[in-house]
Amino acid sequence: MSAILAGTLLLTATGLFSQAVGFVYRMLLSRLIGAETMGLYQLVMPVYSLLMSVTAVGLTVAVSTLSARYHALEDDGTVKAVLRRALGGFFLLAIPLGIAVAALSDPISVYLLGDARTRLGVVMLAPCVLLTGVENLHKHCFYGIGRVRPPAAVETAEQLIRAIAVLGLLAALLPRSAEETVGIIVLGMVLCEVFSACALTLLFRRHWNRFPPAPAQTEVSLRRLFSVALPVGATSLLGTVLGCSNSVLIPAKLVEGGMALPDAMAEFGVVCGMTLPLLALPTGFIGALCLVMVPDLARRTAQGDRRAAGGFLDRVMSATSLLMAPAMALLSVIGPTLGQAMFRDGRVGELILPLAAGTLLGCWQSVLSGALNGLGLQGKAARNAIVSDVVQLAFTFFAVVEWGLAGFAAGFAASGLVGAGLNLASVLRTTGLRTQLFRWFIRPLLAAAFMGLWCNLLFRLMLDSGCAQGWSALACTALGVVLYAAALLAQGLSVNVVFARFRSQLRRRRWER
């Protein structure tokens, strides 16, 4: 089995496990703290994303991309120099920024976030960001050199430690005020990041000794590091600012539309802290696919193999659609019932159909954005992401007052459509691929719609006849798998052809090695 396929499968398994643990964690968290405090926590997290965008996001992409290129050119000594320079640049940014955020936490919480109860959580973000940046830089260097097992193992343990730390602290210290509760949650995140940062640093030092010494002149790697990091970081910062503005605007616009502030914060917490995480459950493999795809495409681009890169993208798009379309269709049917049972809130699952469509479009956008980053087109990926975020912000600003959260859901789907469409056009122009409309979109969407309609009918009939929700969901899932496979086969998808392509791909890669 090829290293790329093995890495993808390992990261997919890790991602799905992390998604499952994260979902259970969010479910228990929502039961402990309630919808309103969950909304406050969701209000703090965009600040965390903003700080990461300023300090670490661009550097992590640069480390992953450049490590893959130097490793492909058998210049592993420069890989160490890239990581060392990236860590130095990160500390220069993160330490003074963290001090400033802690000092200005009061005006940030009151004037920027619009709720003074977020102050303690904002203060606790400073050490969390510092530790997360160290973790991510080491993790993406591992990904760049093709070693996925160490970061995968650490990430698996990290999810468990986070859940245990946060839930344990809340169980021991509750009841507390809403502000203190948010601070306790972020404190649990800090404890989790202490483990991850230390573990990955120690693991990388073990591999560090195996690399040859770095060449005397490393200025080229420094220039290349910032040539990748600056545009990605600047774009991530702008996109995060737009995302933060969107998160702050949602409760404010709900209040402007006539809703009381506690109710608005609770509605915000239900949608962003419960419904969207439910829809994100099947997306664990998307992050794994992008983590493997970006350095692989960077390596192929460095070697001048654009044809192989195009074929890889074809397979990635097909796999994304074949897996995500039925998952979103099934969750659109059973998601509201399962969400209400798990989170104990009857509002979970409202607007799930447009949110599911937006999640599927967002998966396409993420995969294609990763492809652009791997092809060295970070500027185009950044531009498309910004346009997509502007669309979402426009819907929030103009539609939420009139339509409520339905305006946010419409913007969520529209922004995903715009982002995926722009990324697709950029990828096709770069690689010379032709749009495979039937294979990438039409066939999986038709099969998923067919499956969803029948599953919806069966689910309603079983619930009306008194069947338990769990057994009804399991029966619909089993029927959905069979119906989806039958619909794909009826549209001409041949299992033999798929396995033949897979076998020929493995033979070609063995010959290349």
Side-chain angles (χ1 to χ4, degrees):
M1 181 178 291
S2 68
I4 294 175
L5 181 60
T8 304
L9 292 177
L10 177 60
L11 287 175
T12 298
T14 303
L16 292 175
F17 176 79
S18 298
Q19 289 283 69
V21 173
F23 180 75
V24 174
Y25 160 68
R26 281 181 173 270
M27 179 182 70
L28 297 176
L29 182 64
S30 67
R31 293 184 179 185
L32 281 173
I33 67 177
E36 183 179 356
T37 308
M38 179 66 83
L40 288 173
Y41 169 63
Q42 293 297 320
L43 203 58
V44 168
M45 293 314 293
V47 180
Y48 171 77
S49 300
L50 182 64
L51 296 175
M52 289 298 298
S53 297
V54 173
T55 59
V57 170
L59 289 173
T60 56
V61 173
V63 166
S64 177
T65 304
L66 295 179
S67 297
R69 290 179 183 175
Y70 287 122
H71 186 67
L73 299 174
E74 299 182 353
D75 187 5
D76 287 335
T78 308
V79 172
K80 294 191 297 184
V82 168
L83 178 60
R84 186 168 57 247
R85 294 296 183 98
L87 285 169
F90 169 71
F91 287 133
L92 287 174
L93 292 171
I95 292 175
L97 184 60
I99 294 173
V101 167
L104 299 173
S105 59
D106 200 25
I108 289 174
S109 61
V110 174
Y111 299 111
L112 294 183
L113 300 183
D115 198 310
R117 294 174 294 175
T118 60
R119 188 194 65 83
L120 185 57
V122 170
V123 172
M124 296 300 300
L125 287 178
C128 189
V129 168
L130 189 66
L131 293 164
T132 304
V134 174
E135 172 205 350
N136 285 347
L137 289 172
H138 284 87
K139 181 187 297 184
H140 282 76
C141 192
F142 269 120
Y143 292 145
I145 63 176
R147 293 184 175 273
V148 299
R149 290 185 180 181
V154 171
E155 184 174 349
T156 301
E158 176 187 347
Q159 295 298 320
L160 293 173
I161 292 172
R162 174 180 295 179
I164 293 171
V166 173
L167 297 176
L169 286 172
L170 288 174
L173 299 177
L174 286 180
R176 297 279 175 172
S177 66
E179 179 181 355
E180 292 173 333
T181 301
V182 174
I184 291 170
I185 296 172
V186 182
L187 175 61
M189 294 170 56
V190 172
L191 297 177
C192 163
E193 294 301 335
V194 169
F195 161 78
S196 301
C198 293
L200 280 170
T201 300
L202 293 174
L203 287 171
F204 192 84
R205 286 187 180 276
R206 289 183 56 190
H207 294 283
W208 187 291
N209 296 328
R210 303 177 185 178
F211 291 164
Q217 296 180 347
T218 57
E219 293 300 323
V220 174
S221 66
L222 182 63
R223 288 198 299 269
R224 290 190 177 184
L225 178 72
F226 284 101
S227 70
V228 176
L230 288 177
V232 173
T235 305
S236 176
L237 175 61
L238 181 55
T240 305
V241 169
L242 293 173
C244 291
S245 302
N246 187 68
S247 297
V248 173
L249 274 176
I250 291 173
K253 289 298 179 180
L254 289 174
V255 171
E256 186 179 335
M259 191 177 294
L261 179 59
D263 295 335
M265 197 62 68
E267 291 285 346
F268 175 61
V270 168
V271 170
C272 296
M274 302 179 193
T275 306
L276 287 178
L278 176 66
L279 290 171
L281 263 178
T283 65
F285 85 99
I286 295 294
L289 198 61
C290 290
L291 286 173
V292 175
M293 178 177 60
V294 171
D296 181 67
L297 290 177
R299 181 169 56 252
R300 293 181 185 276
T301 302
Q303 296 170 346
D305 194 358
R306 286 295 181 96
R307 181 178 179 182
F312 184 51
L313 285 173
D314 183 16
R315 292 187 293 274
V316 166
M317 283 299 298
S318 298
T320 301
S321 298
L322 286 172
L323 292 173
M324 289 308 304
M328 292 300 104
L330 184 63
L331 282 175
S332 297
V333 175
I334 67 175
T337 301
L338 292 180
Q340 291 170 17
M342 292 176 176
F343 292 103
R344 296 178 181 175
D345 195 307
R347 294 165 292 184
V348 178
E350 294 178 356
L351 306 171
I352 197 166
L353 188 58
L355 292 175
T359 302
L360 177 59
L361 291 164
C363 289
W364 287 332
Q365 180 181 356
S366 297
V367 168
L368 292 167
S369 179
L372 289 173
N373 286 329
L375 293 169
L377 301 174
Q378 292 85 4
K380 289 186 178 180
R383 177 203 64 193
N384 298 341
I386 290 173
V387 173
S388 173
D389 290 337
V390 168
V391 171
Q392 173 69 83
L393 188 62
F395 270 85
T396 300
F397 189 83
F398 293 106
V400 169
V401 175
E402 297 294 331
W403 301 348
L405 285 175
F408 164 75
F412 186 70
S415 65
L417 179 62
V418 171
L422 291 175
N423 282 346
L424 178 62
S426 299
V427 167
L428 293 178
R429 282 196 300 267
T430 302
T431 60
L433 281 174
R434 293 183 179 180
T435 308
Q436 305 296 329
L437 286 176
F438 183 72
R439 188 162 69 243
W440 293 353
F441 305 115
I442 296 176
R443 179 164 58 193
L445 289 176
L446 286 177
F450 174 77
M451 179 201 78
L453 291 173
W454 280 103
C455 285
N456 183 61
L457 177 61
L458 175 65
F459 193 57
R460 300 306 166 196
L461 288 175
M462 292 185 70
L463 291 180
D464 291 342
S465 63
C467 292
Q469 294 177 348
W471 288 111
S472 300
L474 287 175
C476 287
T477 301
L479 176 66
V481 170
V482 174
L483 291 176
Y484 184 67
L488 291 176
L489 293 173
Q491 295 181 79
L493 179 66
S494 173
V495 178
N496 292 331
V497 171
V498 173
F499 279 104
R501 289 178 179 173
F502 178 70
R503 288 194 297 268
S504 64
Q505 177 187 354
L506 291 183
R507 284 196 298 269
R508 183 172 62 253
R509 289 184 177 171
R510 290 194 193 101
W511 181 81
E512 291 174 353
R513 292 198 299 269

